[in-house]
Structures are given as structure tokens and as C-alpha cells.
Amino acid sequence: MAELPAPDPRSDPWARLRQATRARIGLGGCGDALPLREVLAFQMAHALARDAVHAPLDVAALEAVLHPYAALRARSRAADRGTYLRRPDLGRRLEAMDAAEGPFDAAFVLADGLSATAVQRHAAAVFHAALRRLPGWRIAPPVIATGARVALGDEIGARLGARLVAVLIGERPGLSVPDSLGVYLTFDPRPGRRDSERNCISNIHTAGGLAPELAAAKLAWLMREALSRKLTGNGLKDDADPAALAAPTFALPDG
Amino acid sequence: MGCWGATAGGERHVFDGLAYLLAAASPRRSGDELAGLAAASDAARVAARYALADLPLRIFLDEAVVPYEADEVTRLILDTHDPAAFAPVSHLTVGGLRDWLLSHEADGAALAALSPGLTPEMVAAVSKLMRNQDLIAVARKRRVVTAFRSTLGLEGRLATRLQPNHPTDDPRGIAASTLDGLLNGSGDAVIGVNPATDSVPNAMALLHMLDELRERYAIPTQTCVLTHVTNAIEIMRRGAPVDLVFQSVAGTEGANRGFGVDLAILREAREAALALGRGGPSGEVMYFETGQGSALSAEAHHGVDQQTLEARAYGVCRTFKPLLVNTVVGFIGPEYLYDGKQIIRAGLEDHFCGKLLGLPMGVDVCYTNHAEGDGDDMDGLMTLLGVAGVHFLICVPGADDIMLNYQSLSFHDVLALRSMLGLRPAPEFEAWLERMGIAEPGGAIRPPPLAQSSLLQLARDHG
């Protein structure tokens, strides 16, 4: 079925208000109910979000875009998607992982999380851009992790002997954006780290979110600060000003 | 610590401890499974209900599921228990209470008189012996009336929170969603924004914007920016217009600490809000949100099932005489409530337990995109809650909250629900809707086209 036509914006006084919000305002009605056009648009958005939640990560395709870096693979104890959704504790624990010789200054974990679509689309871009901003760093081979929650990075980072771990993970899809990526940075990763000991950069996507290149700039800044101050989490967040980092006038610490 | 057993299906089942018995008797849900507390089998679950049915209610006064010494919520519950109100049911078992609640002699007045005599654990326990139908039938009898500028909870009425969230707190975007809600007859319980940025200056800017809007159109409702209670205290100190103090609360001291609150700070905030004198004589100036799973999420569940802890959160709420309380039932995620069936059951339990304890209980009928649920499940839950006499429901434009990334009810959903069940808005708000040409005389809401609306100026101011 073809998409139903939207109302003519010239005759719609809601058009100006829609410039201020993506909210589904001024939808009209059919009796008390929504018009069919809106019902189907909503169902399509929900379907895309659900597909993003349940889509498996295409590991081979992700490995290809990480070239020339050869990726390691890791998987959590959540063996399937249903278990993953029900048992976040299993998604935080490592079942198996390829080995690499450390130690490293930092490790990057590309984790499916709740949206493999987000990782597929944006994680490699953030990884490559961050690496360009970290010359001289000893960086572990990138780790592609499946069935992963954020805290899985703690065990992966510890195994690699990395001083910092950055987990690039798919965020819970919303109706408007099914492919938003988040990054969680943890100093001295090891099992048992609390969420308050991490720094987060969220809302990374290309539909009006934080662009991957800017996210990488923020991440590299946080990584340098974290290593020099030997911490991540609340203590680091207090000093860093993400707004200033994201501003277009911001001069990058090193180009 | 007691140990209870029951024989069911030819097998003997033993339940070690009151907390485990309550957990095992709970309908199946992912959060209790995650916590390792769920019944080992369906037969064990029903066996636990047999055992629970025979427990005397008094046991909940003698044995705390979370230790008295370790937890201020337990102390609050037991220290404020009213033995005189409890007396009429003090001889009953949990099963006996179920039967009495469903009896015709247990009318609204009898249930209201009983509320201070019931502890959250008693209410949670009896809910586990009740089918969905029973939860609806009893909750329906228990009206709780609260008032600020509008009077909420009256027979035949259904109120709504208008939730005009915006991902960057853009005041124009929030005003646009508010306008949409008002035109659809929403907002009589509260116009309440979840701020994207939880800072004092941001919340103050939004409060001033909403208060001016309310004053300008003389809307008989309340406004609220759902910021942390410590922010609210600071905001009130700086003189911004705070109608309602909001806070998320949970059923254990540890989980509340995870939210950054304790009973003392809630008391301080309520006193500060009362001192502003903005509300009515009933002193109902608090707005709380709760949700099953929050204590487990905070690793502060003490081996107690999530529904019993949710009822304990209501024990926290009721001591502060709130105007509004709602469970965010489908928001916490599938690791606590996996699918539409679990969300619907939990929504009815939460509403029942809140009402029985005397709370103005509303529900955010909602789901996330990683739960096995959809709008059809929400249609079901909203209709069941409408029949059960829910205090208020939350609505967002087109059911899509673009800031919190989940789906609640739409303004249209509540229009339909009010029509189907003959439920009307709060009386003061209904009169306003008639004055504004949004409702016909007699109550039917017929959203006017924006261009012909008396609220068009609002669109011009904020467009």
C-alpha cells in the first residue's frame, strides 16, 4: 500500500509549530481516533525500532569496515536475543573472547547492545576518527562483542590489559531514531565497575544527533583527560564541558 | 523466619521465609526471574498461593520482609500502622481478606476506613491471590479524591497528565505539544514536563513558561517540571512558581538512596511547597512516580519480589499526602516486565495496591521498543484501568515521547476512552474546556481546528 498523502502544509497552521518539535502534534482525527495515515506511520516507526532491536550484528561486514585493523571477537553469556533482553546480568559477563598481547593504553569494544543497526552504521566511523586523534597511543585491536551490555567492556578491557576501555554500543531505539550509538568510557576496567565510574557520550547518529566525527573528538578529549587524571565517571564529568566540545567554534586539542 | 508448605498436584512444595513465599506466589514476570526469586514451576506458584491464602494477616505486623533495623521504609510502615483501622480484618487470613474485599459489604466507605490499617505487604500479598478481574472490581470501589486547582478522582471522571516533553527542552516545542494536548482535552491532572537537562536554571525557565501559559488562559490545572527533589527545594528557594514537588521513589531505603533521596528530604520539600500556599486546603502538593523493578535495578531488593517492593513504595508515597502518584509500568524495561501480558498484569496490580492504600493512583500506560508489546496491549490496559476507575493517565502527542524514547498513550486514546466509558474530565477543567469551545455543553470533547481555536494566540506566541 502506498503512503497516504499528508495534509497540505500551506493550509495547516501546525506547520510552524512543527518546526519547534518532532512531536506528533496536530494529527487531526477520525471520530476520537487518529487518522489512518498517522496510525500506519506510527506502526512503521515502531516496526523499524523493533527490527533494530532484534537485528543480529553482521560481524563480517563490521570487520570489513574496520580495515586495516583486524578485529577480535567476543561474546557474552546471553546466547540469544530473548535471553539478552531478559537477562542483562548475562550480557555483562564474558563467555568467550579472542586473545591479544597487551598491555594497551586503550581498547575499543564495538558492542551490539540494543541496536545492532547503530553499531553497523556509526561505530567504525567513531573508531577510525578517534584513532586519528590519538597518535602514539598503544591501542588494542578493536573487539566486536555480541550479546553485549555496557559492563561487558570491563571484563574485555581487563583481559586485554587496557588502561581504558571505550564501549561503542547501540542505544535503545526510539520511534524517531532506530540507530543511535552511545559510547561509555571506563578507566582501569575490571568487573564490578559502577555506572557512576564511567563517562557517557550518547545520541550519536546522523539524523540530527551528534555526528560521529564530533563524538570522536569528545571521546578523544575524554580519553586523554582520563589517562592523565587516572579516572573516569563523576569526577571527570565535573570538569569537562561537553557543550563547549560540541560547539562548532571549538578548536580541537590536536588536529 | 517461618517456613511454609503446601501440597499441590501430588507434590509437596516448601517455601522458606515470608519474602520467598510472596515471590513464589507472584504471577510470572521477568524481574523476579532475573532476581532468582520466581517460583520454580507453575505448580509451585499455585502451591505458594495456597500457602499464602492461609497466612494470618497479622504476620505482616510481626515479621518484616526487609529488616526494621536496616530500612527506614520498614520503620515508616510499621510505626505508622493504625491498629484501630486494622481491627475489622485483624482476624482474617490473606485469603479471607481477598474474599472480604470482593464482598458487597466492602463498599467505598469501608475500604477507605480500612486503608490506614493495611500495610503495603498485606496489600501486595492479597493482590497475588486476585485475578485481573478481582483487581479491577475492588479498585473500582475505592475512589480517592484529591484537589489542587482541579478536583481529581471523582466518580465518573478520568483525568490526564499532559506530558509535552522535548529532547532539548525547547520552550517553543514544549508549548506546541501543550497546545495540542489542551485542544484534545488533556491536562486536568497536571501539565508535567520531564526535563532533558536536570538543572536548576533549566527547570526554572520551564516552570515560568508553563505558569505564565496557565495563568494567561486561566487553566484550572497544575504545572510541574519533574526535576529531582533537591533541585525543587533550590528552585522554591529562588522563588520560581512550583505547584507540585516531584520525585521518583522506591520501596526500600537503599533504592531510594539510589534515587538520591530519603524520607527526610521528601519531608523538607513538602514543607517548602506547603509554605508557598499555592494549593488547596488539603495540602496535596506532592507528585510521585514509581515502577516495579526499581529496587532490583538499584541492587537494593533484599530478596523481595518486585511487586511487594512496589507496594512498599506506595507506603512511602502515602505518608506525604500526594496529589498524584503513578506507576511507569512499562517503562522500566523487559528485564522486569517482559511483554504486554506482564505489563497489563502489573499495571492492574499497581493501581489496585495504590488505591487500597489510599493513594490517588494513576498509571503511565506505556511500553519500550525492546519489550514484547505494542499499542494493542496499551489499548487493553487503558480500557481495563478506565473500568477500574484510575485516577489519571499520562498522554503524549501521538503516543510517541520523543525525549524519553518510549510510547505512552496519545491524547486521542484518552478521547476514545472517555467516549467509550462515559468518563469526563475534572469538573473545573471540563468547565474551562466548554468556555474555550473544546468541549460541547454537557461534556463531549470535540477538538476544534487550531485556526478557529481561542488558543490560536498561544500558537502565535510560541510558533
Side-chain angles (χ1 to χ4, degrees), chain B residues 32 56 73 129 171 212 259 311 332 363-364 378 414:
Chain B
D32 291 337
V73 176
L129 302 180
E212 282 160 21
F259 283 133
I332 317 261
V363 177
D364 190 359
M378 301 304 108
V414 173

PDB file of all heavy atoms in Angstrom, chain B residues 32 56 73 129 171 212 259 311 332 363-364 378 414:
ATOM      1  N   ASP B  32      11.400 -10.930  38.554  1.00  0.00           N
ATOM      2  CA  ASP B  32      11.585 -11.889  39.639  1.00  0.00           C
ATOM      3  C   ASP B  32      12.466 -13.054  39.186  1.00  0.00           C
ATOM      4  O   ASP B  32      13.221 -13.620  39.982  1.00  0.00           O
ATOM      5  CB  ASP B  32      10.233 -12.400  40.138  1.00  0.00           C
ATOM      6  CG  ASP B  32       9.437 -11.309  40.855  1.00  0.00           C
ATOM      7  OD1 ASP B  32      10.058 -10.337  41.339  1.00  0.00           O
ATOM      8  OD2 ASP B  32       8.201 -11.423  40.918  1.00  0.00           O
ATOM      9  N   PRO B  56      -2.145 -15.799  58.371  1.00  0.00           N
ATOM     10  CA  PRO B  56      -2.884 -14.729  59.044  1.00  0.00           C
ATOM     11  C   PRO B  56      -2.291 -13.362  58.669  1.00  0.00           C
ATOM     12  O   PRO B  56      -1.072 -13.224  58.572  1.00  0.00           O
ATOM     13  CB  PRO B  56      -2.684 -15.030  60.531  1.00  0.00           C
ATOM     14  CG  PRO B  56      -1.498 -15.924  60.600  1.00  0.00           C
ATOM     15  CD  PRO B  56      -1.373 -16.639  59.287  1.00  0.00           C
ATOM     16  N   VAL B  73      12.140   2.595  55.395  1.00  0.00           N
ATOM     17  CA  VAL B  73      10.805   2.391  54.826  1.00  0.00           C
ATOM     18  C   VAL B  73      10.030   1.379  55.676  1.00  0.00           C
ATOM     19  O   VAL B  73       8.844   1.576  55.972  1.00  0.00           O
ATOM     20  CB  VAL B  73      10.900   1.948  53.354  1.00  0.00           C
ATOM     21  CG1 VAL B  73       9.515   1.641  52.801  1.00  0.00           C
ATOM     22  CG2 VAL B  73      11.587   3.018  52.512  1.00  0.00           C
ATOM     23  N   LEU B 129      -3.337 -13.165  45.198  1.00  0.00           N
ATOM     24  CA  LEU B 129      -4.413 -14.160  45.188  1.00  0.00           C
ATOM     25  C   LEU B 129      -5.580 -13.706  44.324  1.00  0.00           C
ATOM     26  O   LEU B 129      -6.632 -14.354  44.295  1.00  0.00           O
ATOM     27  CB  LEU B 129      -4.909 -14.409  46.615  1.00  0.00           C
ATOM     28  CG  LEU B 129      -3.849 -14.880  47.612  1.00  0.00           C
ATOM     29  CD1 LEU B 129      -4.467 -15.097  48.986  1.00  0.00           C
ATOM     30  CD2 LEU B 129      -3.180 -16.156  47.120  1.00  0.00           C
ATOM     31  N   PRO B 171      11.477  25.562  24.721  1.00  0.00           N
ATOM     32  CA  PRO B 171      10.183  26.033  25.243  1.00  0.00           C
ATOM     33  C   PRO B 171       9.107  26.122  24.155  1.00  0.00           C
ATOM     34  O   PRO B 171       7.934  25.868  24.418  1.00  0.00           O
ATOM     35  CB  PRO B 171      10.501  27.428  25.799  1.00  0.00           C
ATOM     36  CG  PRO B 171      11.971  27.438  26.012  1.00  0.00           C
ATOM     37  CD  PRO B 171      12.559  26.514  24.982  1.00  0.00           C
ATOM     38  N   GLU B 212       3.119  30.937  33.263  1.00  0.00           N
ATOM     39  CA  GLU B 212       2.557  32.072  32.520  1.00  0.00           C
ATOM     40  C   GLU B 212       1.462  31.605  31.574  1.00  0.00           C
ATOM     41  O   GLU B 212       0.410  32.245  31.446  1.00  0.00           O
ATOM     42  CB  GLU B 212       3.670  32.797  31.748  1.00  0.00           C
ATOM     43  CG  GLU B 212       4.501  33.704  32.639  1.00  0.00           C
ATOM     44  CD  GLU B 212       5.862  34.050  32.041  1.00  0.00           C
ATOM     45  OE1 GLU B 212       6.023  33.933  30.805  1.00  0.00           O
ATOM     46  OE2 GLU B 212       6.757  34.411  32.828  1.00  0.00           O
ATOM     47  N   PHE B 259      18.032   6.774  44.155  1.00  0.00           N
ATOM     48  CA  PHE B 259      17.378   7.943  43.559  1.00  0.00           C
ATOM     49  C   PHE B 259      17.901   9.252  44.167  1.00  0.00           C
ATOM     50  O   PHE B 259      17.459  10.334  43.782  1.00  0.00           O
ATOM     51  CB  PHE B 259      15.867   7.887  43.785  1.00  0.00           C
ATOM     52  CG  PHE B 259      15.136   6.925  42.885  1.00  0.00           C
ATOM     53  CD1 PHE B 259      14.203   6.045  43.414  1.00  0.00           C
ATOM     54  CD2 PHE B 259      15.354   6.919  41.520  1.00  0.00           C
ATOM     55  CE1 PHE B 259      13.509   5.162  42.595  1.00  0.00           C
ATOM     56  CE2 PHE B 259      14.658   6.040  40.682  1.00  0.00           C
ATOM     57  CZ  PHE B 259      13.742   5.160  41.231  1.00  0.00           C
ATOM     58  N   ALA B 311       4.635  -2.027  46.183  1.00  0.00           N
ATOM     59  CA  ALA B 311       3.613  -1.636  47.161  1.00  0.00           C
ATOM     60  C   ALA B 311       4.253  -0.882  48.327  1.00  0.00           C
ATOM     61  O   ALA B 311       3.669   0.063  48.866  1.00  0.00           O
ATOM     62  CB  ALA B 311       2.861  -2.869  47.654  1.00  0.00           C
ATOM     63  N   ILE B 332      10.185   0.552  32.614  1.00  0.00           N
ATOM     64  CA  ILE B 332      11.444   0.113  33.227  1.00  0.00           C
ATOM     65  C   ILE B 332      12.158  -0.906  32.341  1.00  0.00           C
ATOM     66  O   ILE B 332      13.359  -1.048  32.413  1.00  0.00           O
ATOM     67  CB  ILE B 332      11.186  -0.436  34.650  1.00  0.00           C
ATOM     68  CG1 ILE B 332      10.218   0.476  35.384  1.00  0.00           C
ATOM     69  CG2 ILE B 332      12.465  -0.608  35.430  1.00  0.00           C
ATOM     70  CD1 ILE B 332      10.758   1.468  36.343  1.00  0.00           C
ATOM     71  N   VAL B 363      -1.625   5.792  36.215  1.00  0.00           N
ATOM     72  CA  VAL B 363      -0.742   4.856  35.521  1.00  0.00           C
ATOM     73  C   VAL B 363      -0.225   5.493  34.235  1.00  0.00           C
ATOM     74  O   VAL B 363      -0.992   6.121  33.503  1.00  0.00           O
ATOM     75  CB  VAL B 363      -1.478   3.535  35.176  1.00  0.00           C
ATOM     76  CG1 VAL B 363      -0.570   2.589  34.392  1.00  0.00           C
ATOM     77  CG2 VAL B 363      -1.980   2.853  36.444  1.00  0.00           C
ATOM     78  N   ASP B 364       1.056   5.334  33.992  1.00  0.00           N
ATOM     79  CA  ASP B 364       1.615   5.630  32.680  1.00  0.00           C
ATOM     80  C   ASP B 364       1.506   4.340  31.877  1.00  0.00           C
ATOM     81  O   ASP B 364       2.323   3.430  32.036  1.00  0.00           O
ATOM     82  CB  ASP B 364       3.076   6.083  32.805  1.00  0.00           C
ATOM     83  CG  ASP B 364       3.612   6.640  31.496  1.00  0.00           C
ATOM     84  OD1 ASP B 364       2.859   6.647  30.501  1.00  0.00           O
ATOM     85  OD2 ASP B 364       4.779   7.074  31.476  1.00  0.00           O
ATOM     86  N   MET B 378      -1.602  -1.679  24.933  1.00  0.00           N
ATOM     87  CA  MET B 378      -1.919  -0.458  25.678  1.00  0.00           C
ATOM     88  C   MET B 378      -3.412  -0.147  25.593  1.00  0.00           C
ATOM     89  O   MET B 378      -4.005   0.330  26.553  1.00  0.00           O
ATOM     90  CB  MET B 378      -1.094   0.718  25.146  1.00  0.00           C
ATOM     91  CG  MET B 378       0.413   0.508  25.242  1.00  0.00           C
ATOM     92  SD  MET B 378       1.001   0.149  26.929  1.00  0.00           S
ATOM     93  CE  MET B 378       1.423  -1.599  26.779  1.00  0.00           C
ATOM     94  N   VAL B 414      -7.149   8.790  24.923  1.00  0.00           N
ATOM     95  CA  VAL B 414      -7.993   9.137  26.069  1.00  0.00           C
ATOM     96  C   VAL B 414      -9.324   9.739  25.612  1.00  0.00           C
ATOM     97  O   VAL B 414     -10.360   9.522  26.256  1.00  0.00           O
ATOM     98  CB  VAL B 414      -7.231  10.063  27.036  1.00  0.00           C
ATOM     99  CG1 VAL B 414      -8.155  10.561  28.142  1.00  0.00           C
ATOM    100  CG2 VAL B 414      -6.053   9.313  27.644  1.00  0.00           C
TER     101      VAL B 414
END
